[in-house]
Amino acid sequence: MNYKELADLIFPNVKGAEYYENKYPERDLPEGAIVTRFAPSPTGFVHIGGLYQALVARIMANKTRGVFFLRIEDTDQKREIENGVTDIVNSLKEFGMEPDEGMISDTEEIGNYGPYKQSLRKDIYQSYAKYLLEQGKAYPSFETSEELEEMRKKQEAAKVRTGYYGVWAKYRNLSLDEMVEKIKAGIPYIIRFKSPGREDKKIKHKDIIKGNVDFPENDQDIVIIKSDGLPTYHFAHAVDDHLMRTTHVIRSDEWLSSVPLHIQLFQELGFKLPKYAHISPIMKNDNGNKRKLSKRKDPEAAVSYYEELGIPSIAVKEYLLNIANSTFENWRRQNPDKQIEEFDFQLNKMSVSGALFDMVKLQDVSKIVISRYTAEQVYDEALEWAKKHDEELRGMLEENKEYTLKVLNIERGNKKPRKDIAKWEDLKENIEYMYDNIFENNPQKYEYQTISDKDKINEILDLYINEYYNENDDKDTWFNKIKELAGRLGYAKEVKEFKQNPEAYPGHVGDVSTVLRIALTGRTNTPDMYEIMKVIGKNSIIKRFEIDKKN
Ligand code: GLU
């Protein structure tokens, strides 16, 4: 009996490593092009941290004219959730980060390096496990879960490292004959890697993000093929990223401590080691404590949350870039009209300790993003969102598109566009007073301010509409007329005048404007009132003043 025969006994029918080496040749890519991937497990909702990693990988591939692919890591079939793959595929699509290769739906894929779903790659993993077995670098291991449990207890009692290594690795040193005998007797087994490492030796790793790190060598005989015939994460990582010709493994830093094992696996399999970039988790400031965004506690951990609020995906992306590279914000300020793809993203400039995620900041970014939209863009995206989440808004938008576009165009498309919309969820509240039918049914929202005397208010409204308002006035004329009206009623025509001599006046032009604004909109704070009057028009102004006078 030799290793070759043992390997044949265990995996008699696989195609073999050589077959796959030939099937997936080195990629023919331009100089400097890198191959990155997003490799999620379909075990829960898409996490913002996952999207963040995918974004970085997507950008690095774009930047170098390389390849970004999507691989589904579904070897833990017990933890799989319904629609897991579809959700991942759709999230990437929604954020404009479609992969060049890989899964494009639950069942379809594109690219020459597939299958891109690990559960469909059984023969591949087993071929490489066989390759290791043939060289005595892997072995069948027959322990039961009770045995493992007992071992762990002994290790804990003896205060030594837990795991399957050294003297604890009970089945590592069985003779070939013993192994064969057990297999033939039908005793269940898994395949373990025979680690050549020693814990008292150190290895160095240079991570693109984390820099130089030292680790003890791996000495654990980890499981590579489980009892269901599928690989563990570690083994699949080595085999897949080798065969898919990944050049840069960009992944969560929870895997950093597994690097010694991965280096060893690549070595023993005879693969070239890819470069690693371990991304720190996205953190949150929780009452002064910095902690990881939690799947359980934080709604903002789920990518779907942003869609529900109606934060445009492009804004989420911009914000993620903001926290990924601190130079992005400045670049954006200097290049407000460029596509984010033009930003020179630096993988090695990413935070080592974990970037802070801040919902308020995200919404500020979103406000700026939306302020750059045309009215049509706002209309289209908001309507899309409203169809799913807000029937009332949908009605408002659809009832009179032309009018709505005028509403949305207020303070838009100029040098200082309005920045009051962060998410489509806010839009209704933001524009509803512009619709006569809604306005009429809504009682006054805000109290009058400095000028609150009913007769005074009515006097202002009457005089204004009868003697000062002219729908053809330009903005300066319009405002001068409000000043004149203020002066006529004894208010200061300029705020400055008022401030110099506050005793002399009951108020100033701003207070008169406020009366008009509240009568027209029910609010103290609105975009430009001149534009509002233009959009709602004279009839509506008269109607609104009348309503106000009645109240
Ligand atoms: N399936 C692994 C995870 O979701 C992927 C890690 C990797 O990118 O290699 O954590």
PDB file of all heavy atoms in Angstrom, residues 160-175:
ATOM      1  N   VAL A 160      -3.580  24.039  27.510  1.00  0.00           N
ATOM      2  CA  VAL A 160      -2.789  24.150  26.275  1.00  0.00           C
ATOM      3  C   VAL A 160      -3.720  24.594  25.144  1.00  0.00           C
ATOM      4  O   VAL A 160      -4.941  24.619  25.305  1.00  0.00           O
ATOM      5  CB  VAL A 160      -2.108  22.813  25.895  1.00  0.00           C
ATOM      6  CG1 VAL A 160      -1.104  22.425  26.955  1.00  0.00           C
ATOM      7  CG2 VAL A 160      -3.146  21.718  25.677  1.00  0.00           C
ATOM      8  N   ARG A 161      -3.113  24.951  24.017  1.00  0.00           N
ATOM      9  CA  ARG A 161      -3.927  25.395  22.873  1.00  0.00           C
ATOM     10  C   ARG A 161      -4.888  24.281  22.475  1.00  0.00           C
ATOM     11  O   ARG A 161      -4.524  23.105  22.472  1.00  0.00           O
ATOM     12  CB  ARG A 161      -3.030  25.684  21.660  1.00  0.00           C
ATOM     13  CG  ARG A 161      -2.344  27.026  21.697  1.00  0.00           C
ATOM     14  CD  ARG A 161      -1.561  27.231  20.416  1.00  0.00           C
ATOM     15  NE  ARG A 161      -0.542  26.223  20.239  1.00  0.00           N
ATOM     16  CZ  ARG A 161      -0.368  25.515  19.129  1.00  0.00           C
ATOM     17  NH1 ARG A 161      -1.142  25.710  18.076  1.00  0.00           N
ATOM     18  NH2 ARG A 161       0.592  24.620  19.041  1.00  0.00           N
ATOM     19  N   THR A 162      -6.107  24.677  22.112  1.00  0.00           N
ATOM     20  CA  THR A 162      -7.032  23.665  21.620  1.00  0.00           C
ATOM     21  C   THR A 162      -6.774  23.445  20.133  1.00  0.00           C
ATOM     22  O   THR A 162      -6.122  24.243  19.478  1.00  0.00           O
ATOM     23  CB  THR A 162      -8.491  24.110  21.820  1.00  0.00           C
ATOM     24  OG1 THR A 162      -8.661  25.371  21.198  1.00  0.00           O
ATOM     25  CG2 THR A 162      -8.863  24.204  23.283  1.00  0.00           C
ATOM     26  N   GLY A 163      -7.278  22.349  19.630  1.00  0.00           N
ATOM     27  CA  GLY A 163      -7.161  22.095  18.196  1.00  0.00           C
ATOM     28  C   GLY A 163      -6.529  20.749  17.900  1.00  0.00           C
ATOM     29  O   GLY A 163      -6.168  19.991  18.815  1.00  0.00           O
ATOM     30  N   TYR A 164      -6.405  20.483  16.635  1.00  0.00           N
ATOM     31  CA  TYR A 164      -5.917  19.185  16.176  1.00  0.00           C
ATOM     32  C   TYR A 164      -4.490  19.351  15.668  1.00  0.00           C
ATOM     33  O   TYR A 164      -4.256  19.768  14.535  1.00  0.00           O
ATOM     34  CB  TYR A 164      -6.846  18.699  15.061  1.00  0.00           C
ATOM     35  CG  TYR A 164      -6.902  17.200  14.921  1.00  0.00           C
ATOM     36  CD1 TYR A 164      -7.802  16.441  15.679  1.00  0.00           C
ATOM     37  CD2 TYR A 164      -6.061  16.529  14.033  1.00  0.00           C
ATOM     38  CE1 TYR A 164      -7.853  15.063  15.555  1.00  0.00           C
ATOM     39  CE2 TYR A 164      -6.105  15.150  13.900  1.00  0.00           C
ATOM     40  CZ  TYR A 164      -7.016  14.421  14.673  1.00  0.00           C
ATOM     41  OH  TYR A 164      -7.069  13.057  14.539  1.00  0.00           O
ATOM     42  N   TYR A 165      -3.539  19.092  16.541  1.00  0.00           N
ATOM     43  CA  TYR A 165      -2.136  19.337  16.171  1.00  0.00           C
ATOM     44  C   TYR A 165      -1.226  18.447  17.015  1.00  0.00           C
ATOM     45  O   TYR A 165      -1.637  17.913  18.057  1.00  0.00           O
ATOM     46  CB  TYR A 165      -1.774  20.808  16.396  1.00  0.00           C
ATOM     47  CG  TYR A 165      -1.876  21.244  17.846  1.00  0.00           C
ATOM     48  CD1 TYR A 165      -0.759  21.250  18.680  1.00  0.00           C
ATOM     49  CD2 TYR A 165      -3.100  21.638  18.393  1.00  0.00           C
ATOM     50  CE1 TYR A 165      -0.858  21.638  20.018  1.00  0.00           C
ATOM     51  CE2 TYR A 165      -3.203  22.018  19.729  1.00  0.00           C
ATOM     52  CZ  TYR A 165      -2.083  22.013  20.534  1.00  0.00           C
ATOM     53  OH  TYR A 165      -2.188  22.382  21.852  1.00  0.00           O
ATOM     54  N   GLY A 166       0.010  18.324  16.538  1.00  0.00           N
ATOM     55  CA  GLY A 166       1.057  17.633  17.299  1.00  0.00           C
ATOM     56  C   GLY A 166       0.592  16.310  17.895  1.00  0.00           C
ATOM     57  O   GLY A 166      -0.041  15.497  17.221  1.00  0.00           O
ATOM     58  N   VAL A 167       0.869  16.155  19.193  1.00  0.00           N
ATOM     59  CA  VAL A 167       0.538  14.877  19.842  1.00  0.00           C
ATOM     60  C   VAL A 167      -0.969  14.642  19.908  1.00  0.00           C
ATOM     61  O   VAL A 167      -1.434  13.519  20.098  1.00  0.00           O
ATOM     62  CB  VAL A 167       1.091  14.818  21.286  1.00  0.00           C
ATOM     63  CG1 VAL A 167       2.616  14.760  21.268  1.00  0.00           C
ATOM     64  CG2 VAL A 167       0.596  16.001  22.113  1.00  0.00           C
ATOM     65  N   TRP A 168      -1.732  15.702  19.772  1.00  0.00           N
ATOM     66  CA  TRP A 168      -3.186  15.560  19.852  1.00  0.00           C
ATOM     67  C   TRP A 168      -3.785  15.004  18.566  1.00  0.00           C
ATOM     68  O   TRP A 168      -4.918  14.534  18.553  1.00  0.00           O
ATOM     69  CB  TRP A 168      -3.845  16.912  20.151  1.00  0.00           C
ATOM     70  CG  TRP A 168      -3.371  17.513  21.436  1.00  0.00           C
ATOM     71  CD1 TRP A 168      -2.387  18.440  21.581  1.00  0.00           C
ATOM     72  CD2 TRP A 168      -3.846  17.215  22.741  1.00  0.00           C
ATOM     73  NE1 TRP A 168      -2.216  18.748  22.905  1.00  0.00           N
ATOM     74  CE2 TRP A 168      -3.107  18.009  23.647  1.00  0.00           C
ATOM     75  CE3 TRP A 168      -4.828  16.345  23.247  1.00  0.00           C
ATOM     76  CZ2 TRP A 168      -3.315  17.969  25.023  1.00  0.00           C
ATOM     77  CZ3 TRP A 168      -5.038  16.314  24.614  1.00  0.00           C
ATOM     78  CH2 TRP A 168      -4.285  17.108  25.497  1.00  0.00           C
ATOM     79  N   ALA A 169      -3.020  15.109  17.498  1.00  0.00           N
ATOM     80  CA  ALA A 169      -3.541  14.709  16.189  1.00  0.00           C
ATOM     81  C   ALA A 169      -3.498  13.185  16.091  1.00  0.00           C
ATOM     82  O   ALA A 169      -2.583  12.577  15.534  1.00  0.00           O
ATOM     83  CB  ALA A 169      -2.722  15.355  15.072  1.00  0.00           C
ATOM     84  N   LYS A 170      -4.521  12.584  16.643  1.00  0.00           N
ATOM     85  CA  LYS A 170      -4.527  11.149  16.888  1.00  0.00           C
ATOM     86  C   LYS A 170      -4.397  10.303  15.616  1.00  0.00           C
ATOM     87  O   LYS A 170      -3.734   9.274  15.618  1.00  0.00           O
ATOM     88  CB  LYS A 170      -5.841  10.826  17.609  1.00  0.00           C
ATOM     89  CG  LYS A 170      -5.977   9.402  18.043  1.00  0.00           C
ATOM     90  CD  LYS A 170      -7.144   9.257  19.003  1.00  0.00           C
ATOM     91  CE  LYS A 170      -7.582   7.794  19.060  1.00  0.00           C
ATOM     92  NZ  LYS A 170      -8.914   7.666  19.638  1.00  0.00           N
ATOM     93  N   TYR A 171      -5.022  10.735  14.549  1.00  0.00           N
ATOM     94  CA  TYR A 171      -5.031   9.878  13.358  1.00  0.00           C
ATOM     95  C   TYR A 171      -3.965  10.250  12.338  1.00  0.00           C
ATOM     96  O   TYR A 171      -3.881   9.678  11.273  1.00  0.00           O
ATOM     97  CB  TYR A 171      -6.428   9.891  12.713  1.00  0.00           C
ATOM     98  CG  TYR A 171      -7.457   9.242  13.616  1.00  0.00           C
ATOM     99  CD1 TYR A 171      -8.233  10.005  14.477  1.00  0.00           C
ATOM    100  CD2 TYR A 171      -7.581   7.849  13.638  1.00  0.00           C
ATOM    101  CE1 TYR A 171      -9.133   9.399  15.336  1.00  0.00           C
ATOM    102  CE2 TYR A 171      -8.487   7.237  14.502  1.00  0.00           C
ATOM    103  CZ  TYR A 171      -9.264   8.022  15.348  1.00  0.00           C
ATOM    104  OH  TYR A 171     -10.150   7.409  16.202  1.00  0.00           O
ATOM    105  N   ARG A 172      -3.157  11.209  12.711  1.00  0.00           N
ATOM    106  CA  ARG A 172      -2.127  11.688  11.799  1.00  0.00           C
ATOM    107  C   ARG A 172      -1.104  10.599  11.484  1.00  0.00           C
ATOM    108  O   ARG A 172      -0.594  10.512  10.370  1.00  0.00           O
ATOM    109  CB  ARG A 172      -1.444  12.890  12.466  1.00  0.00           C
ATOM    110  CG  ARG A 172      -0.323  13.505  11.690  1.00  0.00           C
ATOM    111  CD  ARG A 172       0.327  14.615  12.532  1.00  0.00           C
ATOM    112  NE  ARG A 172       1.528  15.084  11.904  1.00  0.00           N
ATOM    113  CZ  ARG A 172       1.675  16.309  11.413  1.00  0.00           C
ATOM    114  NH1 ARG A 172       0.716  17.187  11.509  1.00  0.00           N
ATOM    115  NH2 ARG A 172       2.795  16.652  10.835  1.00  0.00           N
ATOM    116  N   ASN A 173      -0.817   9.791  12.476  1.00  0.00           N
ATOM    117  CA  ASN A 173       0.283   8.850  12.285  1.00  0.00           C
ATOM    118  C   ASN A 173      -0.152   7.396  12.139  1.00  0.00           C
ATOM    119  O   ASN A 173       0.641   6.487  12.346  1.00  0.00           O
ATOM    120  CB  ASN A 173       1.277   8.991  13.444  1.00  0.00           C
ATOM    121  CG  ASN A 173       1.902  10.380  13.439  1.00  0.00           C
ATOM    122  OD1 ASN A 173       2.271  10.878  12.369  1.00  0.00           O
ATOM    123  ND2 ASN A 173       1.973  11.018  14.595  1.00  0.00           N
ATOM    124  N   LEU A 174      -1.400   7.204  11.765  1.00  0.00           N
ATOM    125  CA  LEU A 174      -1.802   5.822  11.465  1.00  0.00           C
ATOM    126  C   LEU A 174      -0.975   5.316  10.295  1.00  0.00           C
ATOM    127  O   LEU A 174      -0.596   6.094   9.416  1.00  0.00           O
ATOM    128  CB  LEU A 174      -3.282   5.783  11.050  1.00  0.00           C
ATOM    129  CG  LEU A 174      -4.387   5.990  12.087  1.00  0.00           C
ATOM    130  CD1 LEU A 174      -5.737   5.629  11.465  1.00  0.00           C
ATOM    131  CD2 LEU A 174      -4.144   5.172  13.352  1.00  0.00           C
ATOM    132  N   SER A 175      -0.748   4.025  10.281  1.00  0.00           N
ATOM    133  CA  SER A 175      -0.049   3.476   9.115  1.00  0.00           C
ATOM    134  C   SER A 175      -1.037   3.413   7.950  1.00  0.00           C
ATOM    135  O   SER A 175      -2.257   3.445   8.160  1.00  0.00           O
ATOM    136  CB  SER A 175       0.465   2.073   9.428  1.00  0.00           C
ATOM    137  OG  SER A 175      -0.650   1.194   9.522  1.00  0.00           O
TER     138      SER A 175
END
